[in-house]
Structures are given as structure tokens and as C-alpha cells.
């Protein structure tokens, strides 16, 4: 067997996202991936991350970039643009976590995500997207947008159905929701760039854009892109009337915990996206596709491939069941390989294959740009009580 090419990878960040990137890289088969090291401004956390995995902790961003072929951006989105631009300037391929970029205020402690004008956020987000697309156009490196939903096996099977049957998608609905993020940085607009709409809605939204692009290429030779959006957002767990029973996360300071948006595409077809922090019983990750020749339901979580029952939760104290479940007592729907269902390993394998072959990137910078601009247009729509607004997309 021919030896696989060794690709050197560097991880920026040392938290949750960095951990699942590292785990997914252990299952890449298109290349021999060597994770050289990690860099993070949280030096003690980075030291623990590096020591536990037998890799190097780098002191500066410049040092790690000099030693690797691919950079993984696994830090809060407020810092994405700076690192992406540095990687592209160094002609490195860069894998950037979601959300791609956003508006994070002036980083002043007095900044309040509830009160700033949404037009300001939209203008900034568009400019940030343009800066990264322009940097990519000048670089030998490429942006790989780490939207795992694109590579989830269910979504990729639906891609095959659409391509081979020349389907016309009339309506898509999608949702990501759960009982709230454990991250203390999530919940502060200046770190997360928003709430449920950007933090969770970005997943089904990007998948919708991807499938409509697949349809467009199959039927028309070009992608079908979004035209207008209308949206509403609410902060329900921050209401004075909220009766807190302690099950939902409530550390959010100035973001929404519920969002819904309605899209109209340039061909007149539609999509609806739901995102919230109000859903007990684990994560909801699903897409429903209504086409002129078929109907598909893609479930990335809450699969019934394995179900188990225990009368006492302590029996499963050391057993991982599924993300965001509040209890293990009674019947549980187990995800025997959660990362596989959610597309993490498939995503990384595709990115490294694209790096080696200089091939097509399914989840690319244009898809990331369309998602971010649509999200911030949706925030503006919500400020205008759900007004339908044109989406001012940009191209690379």
C-alpha cells in the first residue's frame, strides 16, 4: 500500500471545540495527520491540552503557523477573523469553526447586546466577510468552514438523492435546539456575536443553503441562493415572569434564547429555521426536505439505532449517553457514535483530502459568508418586528 502523505496540523484554542477537532483528526483516513501542537492565550489550559495529548504548546501564533500545513481555528468567534487573515497571509489552509465571523461590539464592558442598532452589526459582518474573502483570493491557502452538518451522512445521502433525481426542493425546515450551553462565554454578545440564531441556527441554515446549491447545480448549472429573510427573536428565560425550575441554562446576559426565521430563495421556494435554548431531553438536530419527487427527514440526533433503560441513574454514572440529556434514568436514546452521525470525522477527512488534492471544498467560504450575512440580516429583521428584508450577499 502506498504511504499516505503526512500533513502537519496546528490547533488554535484549547477548549471544547479544540478537543473534538483533535478527536476527529484521529479518524482521518485520507492523510496521515500529525497534530504538531496547540496555541491558546489560556496558557495553563493549553499546557494541559498539550501534555495530555503528547503535543507541543506553542508560545505564539506565529510560531505554530511556521511549523504546520493546516490551521484549525477553535476559539470564540470574536477572534476568528484575525487568525484567519494571519493564516491566509502565511498561505496556509485554515479550518475555521462556526460561526464564521460576526459583530462583537466595541469590547467595552458597557456594551449591551440588547440595545445596539442591528444595522451596525450587519454592516460590520458584511465588511468582515469581505475582508476574509478578499484575503483568500490573494492567498495560496483556502478557507474550510467547519460546518459539520454539511458532512453528516444523512445530509450527504440527501445530496445524492437530489443530484441523481434532479429534485426541486419546495420547502425545507430545520432546527437545532437544546437546554442551553454550558460555556460561560456563550451568553455574552461581545464574545458570541448573538444568541440562538447565530449559535444554533447557523447549523440548519448552512445545510439549507448547501442543499439548495446542490439542487441548483444539478438542475440549472448554478447555485440557488437566498433572496429575502424575515425573523423574530426572544429572550424567554430572561423574562421577569420566567418560573425557573433549574433545568434550563440561565446565565445569558444580553442574547436571545429563541429564534425563528423564514427564507425565500431566488426561485421562489422557501425554508424555515428554528433555534432555541428551551428544549429539554437532549439536542434536536434535524432537517426536513419537501421536494417535488420525494420527502426526506434527516436526523443527526435523537436516532433510535440504540435504546437503553435503567431504573437508577447511578448505574450509568460513567456512561456517555447523548449530548445535553438532563437524566440517564428510564429509557434513553443512545448515540453509539455521536461524532459519526454529526459528521465531524467526515468533515475533517474531506478537508484533508481537499488539501492534498487541491479539490473542491463542499463547506467553503462562500457558504460561510452567505450564512453570516443572512443571520445578521435576520437580526435586523427581528429589530423591525419581522419585516421581510433583502439579503445583500457578497461573492468571492
Amino acid at each position: 500500500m502506498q504511504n499516505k502523505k503526512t500533513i502537519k496540523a496546528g490547533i488554535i484554542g484549547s477548549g471544547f471545540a479544540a478537543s473534538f477537532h483533535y478527536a476527529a483528526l484521529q479518524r482521518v483516513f485520507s492523510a496521515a495527520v500529525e497534530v504538531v501542537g496547540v496555541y491558546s492565550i489560556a496558557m495553563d489550559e493549553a499546557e494541559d491540552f498539550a501534555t495530555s495529548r503528547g503535543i507541543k504548546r506553542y508560545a505564539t501564533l506565529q510560531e505554530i503557523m511556521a511549523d504546520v500545513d493546516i490551521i484549525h481555528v477553535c476559539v470564540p468567534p470574536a477572534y476568528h477573523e484575525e487568525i484567519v487573515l494571519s493564516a491566509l497571509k502565511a498561505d496556509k489552509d485554515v479550518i475555521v469553526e462556526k460561526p464564521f465571523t460576526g459583530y462583537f461590539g466595541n469590547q467595552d464592558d458597557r456594551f449591551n447586546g440588547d440595545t445596539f442598532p442591528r444595522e451596525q452589526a450587519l454592516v460590520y459582518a458584511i465588511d468582515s466577510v469581505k475582508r476574509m474573502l478578499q484575503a483568500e483570493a490573494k492567498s495560496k491557502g483556502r478557507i474550510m468552514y467547519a460546518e459539520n452538518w454539511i458532512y453528516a451522512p444523512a445530509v450527504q445521502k440527501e445530496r445524492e438523492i437530489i443530484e441523481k433525481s434532479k429534485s426541486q426542493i419546495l420547502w425545507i425546515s430545520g432546527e437545532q435546539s437544546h437546554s442551553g450551553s454550558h460555556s460561560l462565554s456563550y451568553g455574552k454578545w461581545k464574545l458570541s456575536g448573538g444568541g440562538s440564531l447565530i449559535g444554533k441556527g447557523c447549523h440548519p441554515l448552512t445545510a439549507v443553503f448547501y442543499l439548495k446549491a446542490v439542487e441548483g447545480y444539478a438542475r440549472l448549472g448554478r447555485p440557488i441562493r437566498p433572496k429575502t429573510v424575515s425573523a423574530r427573536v426572544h429572550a424567554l428565560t430572561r423574562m421577569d415572569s420566567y418560573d425557573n425550575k433549574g433545568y434550563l441554562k440561565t446565565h445569558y446576559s444580553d442574547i436571545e434564547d429563541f429564534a425563528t426565521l423564514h427564507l425565500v430563495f431566488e426561485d421562489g421556494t422557501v425554508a424555515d429555521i428554528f433555534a432555541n435554548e428551551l428544549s429539554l431531553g437532549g439536542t434536536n438536530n434535524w432537517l426536513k426536505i419537501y421536494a417535488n419527487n420525494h420527502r426526506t427527514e434527516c436526523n443527526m440526533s435523537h436516532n433510535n439505532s440504540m435504546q437503553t433503560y435503567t431504573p437508577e441513574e447511578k448505574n450509568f454514572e460513567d456512561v456517555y449517553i447523548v449530548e445535553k440529556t438532563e437524566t440517564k434514568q428510564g429509557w434513553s436514546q443512545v448515540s453509539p457514535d455521536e461524532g459519526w452521525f454529526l459528521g465531524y470525522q467526515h468533515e475533517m477527512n474531506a478537508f484533508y483530502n481537499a488539501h492534498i488534492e487541491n479539490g473542491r471544498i463542499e463547506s467553503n467560504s462562500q457558504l460561510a459568508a452567505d450564512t453570516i450575512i443572512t443571520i445578521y440580516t435576520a437580526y435586523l429583521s427581528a429589530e423591525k418586528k419581522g419585516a421581510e428584508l433583502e439579503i445583500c450577499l457578497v461573492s468571492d
Side-chain angles (χ1 to χ4, degrees), residues 169-174 197 201-202 204-210 212 224-231 260-274 287 370-371 373-378 381 387-391 393:
I169 301 171
L170 302 174
W171 175 43
I172 310 180
S173 59
L197 180 54
C202 66
L205 182 62
T206 309
V208 165
F209 288 168
Y210 173 70
K212 285 298 292 183
I224 299 170
R225 301 180 77 188
K227 183 179 180 181
T228 67
V229 64
S230 53
T260 178
L261 65 82
H262 178 73
L263 289 160
V264 179
F265 288 87
E266 59 188 2
D267 65 348
T269 61
V270 296
D272 292 285
I273 302 297
F274 308 95
L287 284 174
D370 288 357
T371 298
I373 292 172
T374 300
I375 284 172
Y376 280 100
T377 306
S381 167
E388 185 175 25
L389 301 178
E390 295 278 340
I391 303 169
L393 300 175

Side-chain angles (χ1 to χ4, degrees), residues 160-169 215 217-220 292-294:
E160 179 188 354
I161 291 171
I162 293 167
E163 288 179 337
K164 290 182 177 178
S165 71
K166 301 295 189 292
S167 307
Q168 181 186 27
I169 301 171
E215 176 203 337
Y217 281 118
R219 295 179 55 240
L220 309 171
N292 64 343
N293 61 2
H294 75 282

Side-chain angles (χ1 to χ4, degrees), residues 121-137:
L122 176 58
V123 170
Y124 183 90
I126 291 173
D127 288 345
S128 179
V129 163
K130 285 181 177 178
R131 287 190 290 269
M132 287 193 279
L133 293 183
Q134 289 166 359
E136 184 182 33

Side-chain angles (χ1 to χ4, degrees), residues 45 240 293 300 307:
E45 183 182 76
D240 291 339
N293 61 2
M300 278 66 78
Q307 299 180 73

Side-chain angles (χ1 to χ4, degrees), residues 203-332:
H203 289 297
L205 182 62
T206 309
V208 165
F209 288 168
Y210 173 70
L211 292 178
K212 285 298 292 183
V214 167
E215 176 203 337
Y217 281 118
R219 295 179 55 240
L220 309 171
R222 58 174 177 78
I224 299 170
R225 301 180 77 188
K227 183 179 180 181
T228 67
V229 64
S230 53
R232 297 301 298 262
V233 301
H234 301 279
L236 299 177
T237 58
R238 291 198 283 129
M239 297 188 304
D240 291 339
S241 61
Y242 173 58
D243 183 10
N244 188 0
K245 299 295 186 183
Y247 299 118
L248 301 175
K249 300 294 188 297
T250 57
H251 61 272
Y252 311 140
S253 61
D254 60 349
I255 64 163
E256 80 281 358
D257 56 21
F258 173 90
T260 178
L261 65 82
H262 178 73
L263 289 160
V264 179
F265 288 87
E266 59 188 2
D267 65 348
T269 61
V270 296
D272 292 285
I273 302 297
F274 308 95
N276 68 75
E277 329 279 328
L278 312 174
S279 300
L280 296 173
T283 302
N284 290 314
N285 292 317
W286 55 262
L287 284 174
K288 296 180 181 179
I289 296 93
Y290 301 81
N292 64 343
N293 61 2
H294 75 282
R295 172 184 165 188
T296 296
E297 296 188 6
C298 299
N299 291 310
M300 278 66 78
S301 62
H302 280 217
N303 289 281
N304 61 3
S305 59
M306 180 179 177
Q307 299 180 73
T308 187
Y309 173 87
T310 183
E312 294 189 61
E313 186 163 5
K314 67 180 183 180
N315 295 329
F316 286 176
E317 182 178 358
D318 297 323
V319 179
Y320 180 82
I321 297 297
V322 71
E323 183 183 5
K324 299 293 182 183
T325 189
E326 291 79 33
T327 181
K328 301 174 184 178
Q329 186 172 328
W331 280 102
S332 295

